[in-house]
Amino acid sequence: MIRINDLSKEYKTKKGLVMGVDRVNLTIAEGEVFGIVGYSGAGKSSLLRCINLLERPTSGQIEVNGRDLTKLKREELRKARLKIGMIFQHFYLISQKTVAENIAFALKAANTPGEKMTSRVNELLEMVGLTDKKDVYPAQLSGGQKQRVGIARALANNPSLLLCDEATSALDPNTTLSILRLLKKINRELNITIVLITHEMNVVKEICDRMAVMQDGRVVEEGSVYEIFSNPKAELTKEFISSVLSFEVPQAILAKVTGSIVKVMFKGEVAGEGVISDMVQHFDVRGNFLHGSIEYIQEVPLGLFLMEIQGQPDNITRAVSYMEGRGAQVEVIQNGH
């Protein structure tokens, strides 16, 4: 369990004080994957680095597993940090050391005995799928393999919390997906709480249970990933989600539309039902799809469709009411000519 209470972080610059994190309050449950989303300068990296006190907050509290890290003495904080792993965007591996030696470096910091160190390194290599790279140097690895070493190193001391600082931003899409699946596997099998920051909504959609959206150092929206994707409130959140779920239809196509244009959303199991086909059969209307897809967020379907409905106004009204009665959210974008 992580509690962030009224947390602020100020930076002194030549132009004066800059508020990097501005009175943030968050609660992150044990065992969940929590995403923090925002553009550059939103304060998400500062917030993440405050969680393990790599950056000391100006004010506020950081509680991890019931302990306020801001009140710990130096040695107590060092021990607490051993249970907080961190994965970085640019890997930060030691180029002169082998893969095994890079992982062992974290174990040495915890004064792990030599015989335990060897077996733990081998265990971690198997966990991240790099058993055959044990004696290889970082320069001989791909970006995805380097990040797997970083993950193994972060897991070395059996942390209860894993912080991911843009962990996939330097990777191609396929490699990103494999790393996210590895992180989700680690989360499920080891019950490790994961907090990750990103500016990519596809990352959040793939792995996170809950999320917060940051702007100018503040949290502007927070909630379950599914609910935020299906019903975003803040304008910034809507902007982020449009990068994944786009309803843009060329103006030339819209100009030819003579019927009513409706946006239809189906949540959960309703997304797999034939609501639209049933609607067309029950009422004297014709449907024409302009845009549509079914996305899966945490394996739960979310159906999104933009369609033209042609017919008499009363029939269109009844058709819309029918879809709403079947569990759809319907918004009339444009009435027929």
Side-chain angles (χ1 to χ4, degrees):
M1 172 75 79
I2 303 168
R3 292 186 192 276
I4 299 172
N5 300 316
D6 207 26
L7 189 83
S8 293
K9 173 63 181 177
E10 295 176 349
Y11 296 95
K12 292 180 180 178
T13 70
K14 292 179 180 178
K15 296 181 179 179
L17 286 177
V18 173
M19 190 68 80
V21 180
D22 190 1
R23 293 166 289 173
V24 165
N25 292 279
L26 287 174
T27 299
I28 300 169
E30 181 182 350
E32 79 175 347
V33 182
F34 192 92
I36 301 172
V37 180
Y39 290 121
S40 292
K44 56 190 190 298
S45 287
S46 295
L47 176 60
L48 190 82
R49 289 166 179 266
C50 282
I51 292 176
N52 62 355
L53 264 63
L54 279 181
E55 302 236 16
R56 186 165 282 275
T58 306
S59 61
Q61 296 175 306
I62 297 280
E63 289 185 18
V64 179
N65 297 325
R67 303 179 77 193
D68 183 354
L69 299 189
T70 62
K71 294 180 179 176
L72 297 184
K73 295 179 180 178
R74 181 177 295 181
E75 183 58 24
E76 291 176 315
L77 179 59
R78 189 190 73 82
K79 289 179 180 177
R81 279 179 175 155
L82 291 175
K83 294 300 178 183
I84 304 175
M86 192 157 186
I87 305 168
F88 302 92
Q89 178 181 357
H90 298 296
F91 321 127
Y92 296 120
L93 302 180
I94 304 169
S95 59
Q96 297 87 357
K97 292 184 180 292
T98 65
V99 165
E101 289 169 340
N102 266 278
I103 297 170
F105 187 80
L107 292 163
K108 287 178 181 176
N111 300 314
T112 306
E115 62 276 9
K116 285 188 178 180
M117 195 180 301
T118 301
S119 63
R120 180 61 176 156
V121 167
N122 290 334
E123 181 184 344
L124 290 162
L125 286 168
E126 186 174 351
M127 188 183 298
V128 300
L130 290 179
T131 304
D132 60 334
K133 302 296 183 183
K134 180 178 180 178
D135 299 316
V136 166
Y137 288 88
Q140 299 168 274
L141 300 175
S142 67
Q145 289 169 336
K146 288 176 183 176
Q147 194 56 285
R148 285 173 182 267
V149 177
I151 292 169
R153 180 182 57 192
L155 295 173
N157 294 304
N158 294 303
S160 59
L161 171 61
L162 200 55
L163 306 178
C164 303
D165 188 359
E166 296 275 13
T168 59
S169 294
L171 306 175
D172 64 74
N174 286 336
T175 306
T176 290
L177 189 58
S178 72
I179 292 297
L180 292 178
R181 286 174 177 168
L182 174 60
L183 289 173
K184 191 63 180 175
K185 179 172 179 280
I186 288 165
N187 166 255
R188 285 175 173 168
E189 292 182 1
L190 304 180
N191 197 40
I192 293 177
T193 305
I194 297 178
V195 181
L196 64 85
I197 62 168
T198 184
H199 60 274
E200 300 172 286
M201 291 301 285
N202 273 319
V203 169
V204 174
K205 181 167 75 75
E206 182 66 32
I207 191 176
C208 295
D209 303 305
R210 291 196 309 122
M211 63 182 287
V213 181
M214 289 190 71
Q215 183 177 29
D216 299 328
R218 294 187 174 185
V219 171
V220 296
E221 191 159 359
E222 177 196 355
S224 79
V225 171
Y226 193 93
E227 284 306 314
I228 284 180
F229 265 77
S230 62
N231 190 27
K233 300 290 196 304
E235 287 303 314
L236 178 64
T237 311
K238 292 175 183 177
E239 187 178 317
F240 269 113
I241 289 173
S242 69
S243 68
V244 179
L245 309 177
S246 174
F247 274 99
E248 291 295 321
V249 177
Q251 197 60 42
I253 299 295
L254 292 177
K256 297 176 183 178
V257 173
T258 57
S260 294
I261 300 176
V262 297
K263 182 192 291 185
V264 188
M265 177 182 293
F266 300 102
K267 293 183 182 182
E269 293 180 1
V270 181
E273 298 177 0
V275 176
I276 292 175
S277 59
D278 291 348
M279 175 267 292
V280 173
Q281 289 178 7
H282 279 76
F283 302 92
D284 187 18
V285 296
R286 294 181 303 280
N288 177 29
F289 284 107
L290 303 173
H291 202 305
S293 67
I294 296 180
E295 299 289 336
Y296 288 86
I297 301 168
Q298 290 293 292
E299 301 177 0
V300 180
L302 177 65
L304 297 155
F305 301 93
L306 195 66
M307 62 183 297
E308 174 192 12
I309 302 179
Q310 296 178 332
Q312 293 298 319
D314 286 351
N315 289 339
I316 291 174
T317 299
R318 285 196 291 270
V320 168
S321 295
Y322 172 81
M323 288 190 289
E324 290 174 335
R326 290 279 300 272
Q329 291 182 12
V330 186
E331 178 186 354
V332 178
I333 304 295
Q334 174 182 301
N335 287 310
H337 301 325

